[in-house]
Amino acid sequence: MNRPLGCLTRSGILTAVITASLITIIAVASDQRIFSPGKLNAQPAEEPIGGIYAHADLGGECSACHTAFWSGELMGDRCLDCHVSTRHELSDEAAFHFGFTNPSNCRGCHTDHHGAEGLLTYAAIDGFPHERTGFSLQAHESISQGGSFMCGECHIVALGEFDTDACRACHLSYDADFLLTHIKDFYPTCLGCHDGVDSFGVAFDHSESPFPLLGKHAPLACGSCHKGARDIAMLRGTQSACVACHLPQGIHSSRIPQECGACHTPLTWADALFSHQLSGFTLSGSHEGVDCEACHIERQWVGIPQLCAGCHLEADAHAGQFTVDCSECHIPTEWADHIFNHERSDFALTGGHLDLACDSCHMDGIYVATPTDCVSCHLQDDQHAGQFGGDCSACHTTNRWSEVTFDHQLSRFPLTGAHRDTACTACHINGQYVGTPTACFQCHGEPSFHAGLFGLDCALCHSTSAWRPASFNGPHSFPMNHGGAGGTCSNCHTNGYNAYTCYNCHEHNQGEITKKHREEGIGDFSNCMRCHPTGREEEGDDD
């Protein structure tokens, strides 16, 4: 039969129970002081908390802070019973302890029993959400000598207080030369720019800012441009215009717009690459090879006239005739290379005028007020001796004089019939056009056989198509178709239109007519129409 081990014998178990009971009795009787690792902190607070100024005032009563494990109460609850203001911070988003503190983790940062002068807040900062305070501990994970930062190394006086003396004390030992220059440039307001992440420290990349550092800007110290900047707003507010730093060194004496970057680069001031297009006056033609000071006299860079007359007034061959700028007609290559478009004037060039030299019309260099009427230039060519005034274009074109565009239909004598094919000189003799007669007889005369019988209006019988056949349309007392004459005048008027005879037709019965007329007492037979005005016989007379 196996015997139990010594500690599990009846005597061993009894001894263990008696020992545990004694320890419990002593612990309760001594208020658990038998477990204390050391004396409590005795540094007094400015004001009493929970009725006492320091933990040492508790009189060694462990139960004031420590709870029995079987009670279900947390030690943090005892802490918050005294530190009421901290209990309120747990629910206040703007308070220091909000979000990362609760009754179960007070001992993560605060410990005691380190002696009367020991620190109550004595914890490594690992894991502490310090960025909530506005200062990240990303760049302060470890001290220069190695090991982690402790809260008291920066918060020397109190946890809720911070003095930049702590920064200076630490960084002087780390890099004294840099820190002294840095303080001189930016003043000892470390938290104004530094956020613990080094957003504006050694990790800051100026190339990602609106003003990347190039050329000679790259090696400059921060204080060269950001002089006296005490916070981030002042850093960002630093002017980026060249003149903000270089105006005292300017050689242009404010005579050109203050945009140095338009000509200069950060590499060197001397290598200026000015584009004249930026000035609003692009250099072209002969202007491209002109020395700058030929126009910018005495290095005057602003206020330079851009009109041609500003520089070339003495070269004006037109003696100020034109009110427009020279560039309206000339180009910058040569003065002779003009681009004047005559269409823009009051006299557009067409036909034979296109190939004429300018001085053919603009004599002696006179361009303004040059006459535009034809006769002013072509008076010697006027074969009409001024009959038609000075507007030759009413009949002629600018191609050649022989191209006549005169429309006779617009005159007082429209051309019809045979007149259309008649040469102008047939009517307009000796170049006489004005006052040309329009009556037919004035050109054609009256035939002798008319003997003035029909007057001077030829159109009563004739048309412009041809003289014959003619058709008399004037007054006639005797039927023109008498005896079937059909209007043929010569049937009756055999010896001219001023005489007529009836006997050409009535000769066959002339004897009978004479006998009968004599029986009636008619003895004069020279004018038949005296008795027969209509050509009809008396009623009952068959002849």
Side-chain angles (χ1 to χ4, degrees):
M1 165 176 164
N2 295 327
R3 299 183 65 179
L5 296 176
C7 62
L8 297 179
T9 63
R10 291 180 181 177
S11 59
I13 294 174
L14 179 61
T15 302
V17 171
I18 294 172
T19 302
S21 299
L22 289 173
I23 292 174
T24 302
I25 294 171
I26 295 172
V28 172
S30 64
D31 198 18
Q32 302 184 20
R33 286 194 293 271
I34 63 171
F35 300 115
S36 176
K39 293 183 178 181
L40 295 174
N41 184 282
Q43 297 180 15
E46 294 181 359
E47 296 180 357
I49 300 176
I52 62 174
Y53 283 88
H55 284 176
D57 297 339
L58 293 173
E61 296 181 6
C62 299
S63 61
C65 297
H66 299 281
T67 60
F69 65 88
W70 61 80
S71 68
E73 187 180 9
L74 297 176
M75 181 179 174
D77 292 326
R78 297 283 179 90
C79 296
L80 297 177
D81 286 341
C82 291
H83 297 277
V84 178
S85 61
T86 302
R87 179 185 294 276
H88 294 322
E89 288 185 10
L90 299 183
S91 58
D92 185 358
E93 294 184 5
F96 176 76
H97 288 89
F98 175 81
F100 63 87
T101 302
N102 58 68
S104 66
N105 66 356
C106 297
R107 287 184 295 177
C109 297
H110 303 286
T111 61
D112 206 338
H113 297 290
H114 297 297
E117 302 295 329
L119 293 176
L120 289 175
T121 302
Y122 192 80
I125 63 175
D126 296 339
F128 180 76
H130 207 283
E131 59 274 3
R132 291 185 62 257
T133 67
F135 188 88
S136 172
L137 299 181
Q138 177 178 326
H140 292 78
E141 292 181 353
S142 61
I143 60 177
S144 60
Q145 295 84 0
S148 299
F149 273 95
M150 305 300 288
C151 300
E153 294 185 68
C154 297
H155 301 279
I156 300 173
V157 177
L159 185 63
E161 299 180 14
F162 176 76
D163 191 339
T164 53
D165 286 339
C167 300
R168 287 196 294 273
C170 183
H171 286 277
L172 275 173
S173 62
Y174 180 68
D175 190 345
D177 293 339
F178 169 79
L179 183 63
L180 293 175
T181 302
H182 200 63
I183 293 176
K184 180 181 178 181
D185 289 339
F186 299 107
Y187 300 92
T189 53
C190 308
L191 298 183
C193 299
H194 296 284
D195 54 6
V197 187
D198 270 354
S199 297
F200 290 89
V202 294
F204 178 69
D205 187 358
H206 221 291
S207 63
E208 296 182 359
S209 72
F211 191 87
L213 299 182
L214 304 173
K216 291 189 175 181
H217 288 158
L220 293 177
C222 302
S224 298
C225 300
H226 301 285
K227 294 180 180 179
R230 301 186 181 188
D231 52 37
I232 293 177
M234 294 179 69
L235 278 176
R236 292 174 173 170
T238 301
Q239 296 185 16
S240 59
C242 304
V243 294
C245 293
H246 300 286
L247 184 59
Q249 304 174 21
I251 63 172
H252 305 302
S253 301
S254 303
R255 290 177 293 183
I256 60 175
Q258 297 178 354
E259 296 180 6
C260 310
C263 305
H264 300 277
T265 68
L267 298 177
T268 173
W269 282 109
D271 296 335
L273 300 173
F274 177 67
S275 173
H276 219 283
Q277 291 180 334
L278 300 175
S279 69
F281 186 85
T282 302
L283 298 182
S284 60
S286 300
H287 289 158
E288 291 182 324
V290 175
D291 184 72
C292 298
E293 294 190 12
C295 298
H296 300 283
I297 301 172
E298 296 182 356
R299 302 181 67 82
Q300 181 68 33
W301 305 109
V302 295
I304 304 301
Q306 296 189 0
L307 295 179
C308 306
C311 292
H312 301 286
L313 184 60
E314 295 181 357
D316 182 14
H318 310 303
Q321 297 178 66
F322 299 110
T323 57
V324 298
D325 188 57
C326 309
S327 60
E328 293 288 326
C329 303
H330 299 277
I331 58 178
T333 53
E334 296 290 341
W335 284 111
D337 297 334
H338 62 79
I339 55 173
F340 178 67
N341 184 359
H342 226 285
E343 298 291 332
R344 299 175 57 187
S345 71
D346 296 332
F347 188 84
L349 299 183
T350 58
H353 290 157
L354 288 172
D355 298 327
L356 291 178
C358 298
D359 57 4
S360 297
C361 299
H362 303 286
M363 300 177 183
D364 299 326
I366 302 300
Y367 290 86
V368 178
T370 300
T372 57
D373 58 316
C374 307
V375 73
S376 294
C377 289
H378 298 286
L379 182 61
Q380 70 279 8
D381 301 319
D382 182 14
Q383 298 182 6
H384 310 302
Q387 299 177 65
F388 300 111
D391 187 12
C392 307
S393 61
C395 302
H396 300 277
T397 68
T398 56
N399 294 327
R400 57 185 62 86
W401 285 111
S402 58
E403 286 189 9
V404 180
T405 60
F406 179 68
D407 186 0
H408 220 289
Q409 302 302 111
L410 301 177
S411 70
R412 292 181 298 170
F413 190 81
L415 299 182
T416 59
H419 287 161
R420 293 177 177 175
D421 300 325
T422 302
C424 300
T425 55
C427 298
H428 302 285
I429 301 171
N430 297 326
Q432 184 68 32
Y433 289 86
V434 178
T436 301
T438 58
C440 304
F441 77 93
Q442 290 177 301
C443 285
H444 298 287
E446 181 185 14
S448 58
F449 52 81
H450 282 189
L453 184 64
F454 301 105
L456 300 177
D457 190 4
C458 307
L460 290 176
C461 301
H462 302 279
S463 69
T464 57
S465 299
W467 281 112
R468 294 181 181 182
S471 177
F472 180 71
N473 296 314
H476 200 281
S477 60
F478 197 79
M480 296 182 67
N481 197 31
H482 177 69
T488 302
C489 302
S490 59
N491 287 343
C492 298
H493 302 279
T494 57
N495 295 319
Y497 294 111
N498 59 345
Y500 65 91
T501 176
C502 298
Y503 296 121
N504 287 344
C505 293
H506 298 281
E507 186 177 1
H508 63 286
N509 57 2
Q510 181 178 356
E512 291 295 329
I513 293 174
T514 304
K515 180 180 177 182
K516 183 178 179 180
H517 285 184
R518 285 179 176 174
E519 289 176 353
E520 294 177 359
I522 299 173
D524 183 7
F525 305 106
S526 61
N527 187 1
C528 302
M529 291 183 65
R530 183 180 58 183
C531 298
H532 306 283
T534 62
R536 296 178 60 84
E537 298 291 339
E538 295 292 341
E539 187 176 351
D541 188 354
D542 295 333
D543 296 322

